[in-house]
């Protein structure tokens, strides 16, 4: 079967969906008929046909009254959301698309430590674009969630998405100055064996466990503690723990740089940094080279450089 034959909705049903949207908005066939310049019986007939074709009861009928069923309410809110999105896109096209909403999805640590503190610069440059920030550790379904672009940290992006390189990353151990003094860590990585290690167990798409620490220790021939320490599902949480003297975190240089500059953290082993195999990249749905998306990606690359 062709894609068109597989669709649950066809052109005839889409035309009836407009009648349904008006009737659902008013929850009245009579008021819908007045808005559509039809008779109430014509509205009722169209809704009956739509229900039969979809195999879903959209309205519960009683004497001189109709009400959306639970299924009808779901269809209505989905239709309303789709129409709002379509209307916004048409407005964006008319306004050269440098206005309207832009929904950005990011790993929580990237958003908290790197992206969010810079957003004021973007909004000053593009005041007509309204940003919505979403975060999570999973690969988001951009089509169903309305996400326009996503920022990931991994070795390779999902194959079905268009993507652009954003920036490299390197890792290095960091801790509070107090913790370093207490455990004699300055230029003494062998003393790590007596410390609590802090790490991001979901540093990339698969469960990374202690991979970051193990990779760094192998590179610099450092003996690790027998305990795996404390694991988090976000890199920024391990950094907060390190600031509060809980242990030594494996920090991502891009995300901890400002903390290092402010003296909240120190890198007790100096230049012992390991370049990550993973990198940051921006992903979008193929074919969405829209001006507002391009503007945000261009701004991200400028800030990354």
């Amino acid at each position: 079967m062709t894609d068109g034959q597989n669709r649950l909705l066809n052109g005839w049903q889409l035309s009836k969906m407009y009648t349904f949207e008006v009737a659902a908005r008013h929850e009245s066939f009579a008021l819908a008929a007045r808005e559509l310049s039809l008779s109430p019986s014509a509205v009722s007939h169209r809704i009956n046909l739509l229900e039969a074709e979809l195999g879903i009861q959209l309205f519960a009928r009683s004497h001189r009254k109709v009400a959306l069923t639970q299924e009808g309410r779901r269809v209505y809110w989905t239709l309303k959301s789709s129409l709002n999105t379509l209307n916004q896109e048409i407005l964006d096209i008319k306004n050269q698309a440098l206005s309207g909403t832009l929904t950005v999805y990011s790993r929580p640590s990237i958003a908290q430590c790197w992206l969010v503190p810079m957003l004021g610069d973007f909004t000053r440059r593009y005041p007509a674009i309204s940003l919505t920030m979403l975060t999570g550790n999973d690969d988001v379904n951009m089509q169903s969630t309305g996400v326009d672009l996503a920022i990931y940290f991994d070795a390779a992006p999902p194959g079905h998405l268009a993507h652009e390189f954003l920036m490299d990353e390197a890792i290095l151990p960091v801790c509070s100055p107090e913790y370093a003094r207490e455990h004699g860590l300055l230029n003494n990585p062998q003393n790590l064996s007596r410390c609590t290690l802090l790490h991001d167990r979901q540093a990339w798409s698969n469960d990374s466990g202690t991979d970051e620490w193990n990779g760094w220790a192998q590179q610099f021939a450092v003996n690790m503690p027998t305990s795996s320490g404390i694991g988090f599902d976000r890199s920024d949480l391990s950094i907060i723990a390190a600031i509060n003297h809980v242990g030594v975190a494996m920090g991502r240089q891009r995300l901890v740089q400002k903390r290092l500059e402010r003296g909240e953290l120190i890198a007790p082993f100096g230049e012992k940094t390991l370049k990550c195999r993973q990198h940051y990249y921006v992903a979008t749905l193929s074919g969405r080279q829209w001006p507002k998306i391009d503007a945000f990606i261009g701004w991200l690359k400028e800030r990354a450089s």
Side-chain angles (χ1 to χ4, degrees):
M1 296 179 71
T2 66
D3 288 343
Q5 291 171 315
N6 270 321
R7 290 173 184 159
L8 292 175
L9 286 175
N10 57 38
W12 292 105
Q13 288 152 356
L14 284 174
S15 67
K16 298 184 188 77
M17 274 291 182
Y18 176 55
T19 302
F20 165 72
E21 189 275 332
V22 178
R25 177 159 31 90
H26 292 295
E27 285 203 273
S28 165
F29 289 176
L31 293 177
R34 188 180 305 170
E35 180 174 326
L36 296 169
S37 299
L38 297 170
S39 67
S41 61
V43 171
S44 178
H45 179 65
R46 288 187 183 184
I47 298 298
N48 289 339
L49 286 176
L50 182 62
E51 289 177 323
E53 291 166 2
L54 296 180
I56 299 172
Q57 184 177 354
L58 301 171
F59 289 96
R61 289 128 171 114
S62 59
H63 183 63
R64 291 192 174 184
K65 185 178 179 181
V66 295
L68 285 165
T69 63
Q70 183 177 357
E71 293 79 8
R73 198 167 296 281
R74 288 176 61 184
V75 173
Y76 171 62
W77 282 108
T78 302
L79 178 61
K80 181 180 178 182
S81 175
S82 300
L83 287 172
N84 288 342
T85 300
L86 182 59
N87 284 329
Q88 184 61 60
E89 290 308 321
I90 291 171
L91 284 173
D92 287 351
I93 292 168
K94 288 182 176 180
N95 293 317
Q96 300 302 310
L98 285 176
S99 65
T101 60
L102 185 68
T103 302
V104 180
Y105 178 85
S106 171
R107 294 286 191 256
S109 297
I110 305 169
Q112 200 270 347
C113 298
W114 186 76
L115 178 58
V116 171
M118 304 186 300
L119 288 179
D121 179 67
F122 181 82
T123 58
R124 283 189 292 272
R125 296 194 202 186
Y126 302 99
I129 295 178
S130 176
L131 282 174
T132 297
M133 288 294 310
L134 305 175
T135 64
N137 279 322
D138 298 323
D139 291 344
V140 69
N141 185 326
M142 300 178 71
Q143 187 75 56
S144 64
T145 58
V147 169
D148 295 304
L149 59 92
I151 304 170
Y152 291 126
F153 177 68
D154 215 329
H160 64 284
L161 296 176
H163 58 90
E164 296 189 41
F165 171 84
L166 184 56
M167 55 188 178
D168 285 318
E169 184 57 285
I171 54 175
L172 74 166
V174 294
C175 64
S176 69
E178 293 88 338
Y179 194 89
R181 286 194 297 269
E182 181 183 345
H183 292 80
L185 292 178
L186 292 176
N187 298 314
N188 291 310
Q190 66 273 14
N191 287 348
L192 271 175
S193 61
R194 303 198 301 267
C195 297
T196 299
L197 303 186
L198 312 170
H199 53 95
D200 180 3
R201 297 190 65 88
Q202 296 188 39
W204 41 84
S205 56
N206 298 319
D207 182 4
S208 58
T210 58
D211 288 353
E212 289 182 311
W213 268 112
N214 291 337
W216 180 88
Q218 183 177 4
Q219 174 69 24
F220 297 106
V222 174
N223 292 325
M224 303 293 287
T226 54
S227 167
S228 61
I230 304 175
F232 301 88
D233 65 351
R234 293 167 45 171
S235 180
D236 58 312
L237 295 180
S238 68
I239 296 306
I240 291 171
I243 290 171
N244 287 278
H245 328 302
V246 177
V248 185
M250 183 52 70
R252 293 190 214 156
Q253 200 161 30
R254 295 273 190 177
L255 306 188
V256 300
Q257 189 59 43
K258 289 186 177 180
R259 306 274 196 181
L260 292 169
E261 292 170 0
R262 291 196 295 260
E264 296 175 298
L265 294 170
I266 64 168
F269 314 128
E271 297 302 314
K272 283 185 167 57
T273 62
L274 175 65
K275 185 175 180 180
C276 296
R277 187 169 51 89
Q278 295 76 18
H279 57 270
Y280 300 100
Y281 60 87
V282 186
T284 60
L285 289 170
S286 297
R288 286 205 176 181
Q289 282 71 48
W290 299 341
K292 64 181 177 181
I293 294 177
D294 288 342
F296 194 82
I297 292 175
W299 174 80
L300 282 175
K301 288 182 172 181
E302 177 186 319
R303 299 309 302 247
S305 64

